[in-house]
Amino acid sequence: MEQTEIKEIIDLIKREVVPAIGCTEPIAVALCAARATELLGQQPESLNVQLSANILKNAMGVGIPGTGMIGLPIAIALGSLIGKSEYGLQVLKECSNEAVTYGKAMIDEGLIKISLKDNITEKLYIEIRAEAAGHTATAIIAAMHTNFVYLEHDGKVILDKRTASASQEDCSHDVKLSMRKVFEFATTAPLDDIRFILESARLNKAAAEESFKGNFGHGLGKVMRGSLELDIMGDSVLAQMLSYTSAACDARMGGAMVPVMSNSGSGNQGIAATLPVVVFAEKRGKSEEELIRALTLSHLTAIYIKQSLGRLSALCGCVVASTGSSCGITLLMGGNYEQITFAVKNMIANLTGMICDGAKPSCAMKLSSGVSTSLMSAMLAMEGKCVSSVEGIIDDDVDLCIRNLTLIGTKGMENTDRLVLDIMTSK
């Protein structure tokens, strides 16, 4: 590969694989509230929040770090009270008990109004108008979780990028990937240039281990380490892959104040792309270089699939991230490019159609489904077996397989997305 292309891909990974505290949708809303408050220059007397349906769906049932509460109102309140936009997706890392108390008071006083934004096609859209003492400020995020496209204070426009399309704003599309290019980069890039990917292993493993010590979400990861479960499932490589991945998700969805390494704007995707690969490598005695290259392959595969799927969709992100981890595991097993394409096809044949019904503690169960399928797909691939092109949506060309997956996740599941939101908001 040309040096310029290697640099472009490294920059892409560094943009897409970043630390985040809490679920990225409510955290992005908190980030927008923080920026609107900064523009206003004083604590808002009211916050009018308008969101796309997908943001609302992914923020309704998830724990907000450091609060013991779920949902958007407390995230918005804290964003305005203690949030600093310079922290990005770690905007609430300075949360305190005092701030939570003030945040609850803001909610009780009815200072926060949340509604769906009408007549927008963008799936990731956050608009917040803050008001106080006759002054106003507006901040808008679109296309990406930290991408401000509009800033205004008292009628004076400070930034306006709203005319740009979502694809133009999403710089992940600047680098044109293919499965062959993803594989070539992961297996040949200078090791020191991609060593930074080990930080995903450190952060996400630490999140899992913190979860084992506490009680977060449904505690699926911790349950899997219990005596009865160990007696039933054993302490196999798969059992540990499942427990670590689930535990990190438990902590994140349960509101633990711990950072995880996200992928393409999703902490759960970052967890699912990281921990199965890390646990497999450790249990099988793989070298640091083998782990670095497998993690790079996993994360970059997820980024590649998300380029055509989009940030938010009706298709569960664990399908995407687990496809990446299956590729990483196949590489750790000694797989070549053809066997890695087999793993991708096996994953797409199995998990396509799993719906996203919002970010919530039970996401840990979906991640577990993805992890078990990722190992099964890798094992089949190493035996030279994969779902053929006469079966379902699978194509001989692996890149077309991925396009088929993302086409179903975007156009094919549009009505599913609307129906899911209708069900969630009518309960």
Side-chain angles (χ1 to χ4, degrees), residues 132-396:
H135 298 280
T136 64
T138 300
I140 299 175
I141 287 174
M144 299 173 67
H145 291 79
T146 59
N147 183 48
F148 286 97
V149 297
Y150 184 79
L151 301 172
E152 171 261 314
H153 177 246
D154 280 344
K156 180 182 178 181
V157 176
I158 299 165
L159 171 74
D160 191 353
K161 299 191 294 180
R162 293 174 299 174
T163 55
S165 69
S167 62
Q168 289 173 322
E169 291 297 336
D170 189 343
C171 52
S172 71
H173 289 77
D174 294 345
V175 181
K176 300 303 180 185
L177 297 173
S178 66
M179 201 61 224
R180 171 67 75 174
K181 188 176 291 185
V182 167
F183 174 79
E184 183 181 351
F185 175 85
T187 55
T188 65
L191 194 63
D192 285 343
D193 289 351
I194 56 175
R195 190 178 299 277
F196 66 88
I197 204 69
L198 287 175
E199 182 67 3
S200 69
R202 187 188 70 80
L203 281 184
N204 293 346
K205 190 175 180 185
E209 290 171 346
E210 180 70 19
S211 186
F212 290 141
K213 295 184 289 186
N215 293 290
F216 301 102
H218 295 298
L220 179 59
K222 190 172 183 178
V223 164
M224 288 182 181
R225 307 309 296 160
S227 57
L228 175 62
E229 288 72 25
L230 285 172
D231 182 55
I232 293 171
M233 298 178 62
D235 198 26
S236 65
V237 176
L238 175 59
Q240 290 201 27
M241 289 165 62
L242 292 170
S243 63
Y244 268 80
T245 305
S246 301
C249 181
D250 288 331
R252 179 175 177 265
M253 295 288 95
M257 186 60 80
V258 294
V260 302
M261 192 66 81
S262 66
N263 182 297
S264 304
S266 167
N268 281 351
Q269 286 170 194
I271 290 167
T274 302
L275 286 176
V277 177
V278 171
V279 173
F280 187 90
E282 290 179 352
K283 296 297 286 183
R284 306 303 291 180
K286 299 298 178 179
S287 68
E288 182 180 77
E289 177 173 355
E290 288 173 307
L291 175 59
I292 290 170
R293 296 200 180 279
L295 282 172
T296 301
L297 177 61
S298 179
H299 278 283
L300 192 56
T301 298
I303 292 168
Y304 169 42
I305 298 173
K306 293 292 285 189
Q307 281 185 330
S308 54
L309 180 63
R311 298 270 156 179
L312 301 174
S313 75
L315 185 71
C316 177
C318 86
V319 176
V320 174
S322 297
T323 299
S325 62
S326 187
C327 293
I329 292 165
T330 305
L331 186 66
L332 289 171
M333 289 178 170
N336 57 26
Y337 174 72
E338 182 182 39
Q339 288 164 321
I340 284 166
T341 66
F342 287 179
V344 172
K345 293 177 184 180
N346 291 337
M347 290 294 296
I348 292 173
N350 195 335
L351 290 181
T352 297
M354 181 184 288
I355 65 166
C356 171
D357 55 342
K360 59 210 175 304
S362 60
C363 286
M365 298 170 69
K366 292 188 176 183
L367 261 65
S368 292
S369 297
V371 171
S372 58
T373 304
S374 71
L375 183 57
M376 178 183 68
S377 297
M379 290 189 298
L380 279 173
M382 291 304 295
E383 295 293 328
K385 300 179 184 298
C386 77
V387 178
S388 70
S389 60
V390 300
E391 301 174 69
I393 65 169
I394 301 305
D395 194 282
D396 288 328

Side-chain angles (χ1 to χ4, degrees), residues 9-75:
I9 295 176
I10 289 171
D11 290 344
L12 171 64
I13 297 172
K14 288 182 175 180
R15 287 196 301 267
E16 298 291 357
V17 181
V18 297
I21 296 177
C23 176
T24 47
E25 277 69 59
I27 294 303
V29 180
L31 174 63
C32 197
R35 190 71 186 99
T37 301
E38 290 167 355
L39 290 170
L40 189 64
Q42 57 188 303
Q43 187 58 34
E45 296 170 359
S46 68
L47 289 158
N48 188 293
V49 181
Q50 293 183 288
L51 307 171
S52 60
N54 284 76
I55 289 288
L56 186 62
K57 179 183 76 172
N58 276 10
M60 288 174 62
V62 69
I64 306 304
T67 69
M69 301 172 67
I70 64 169
L72 280 166
I74 190 63

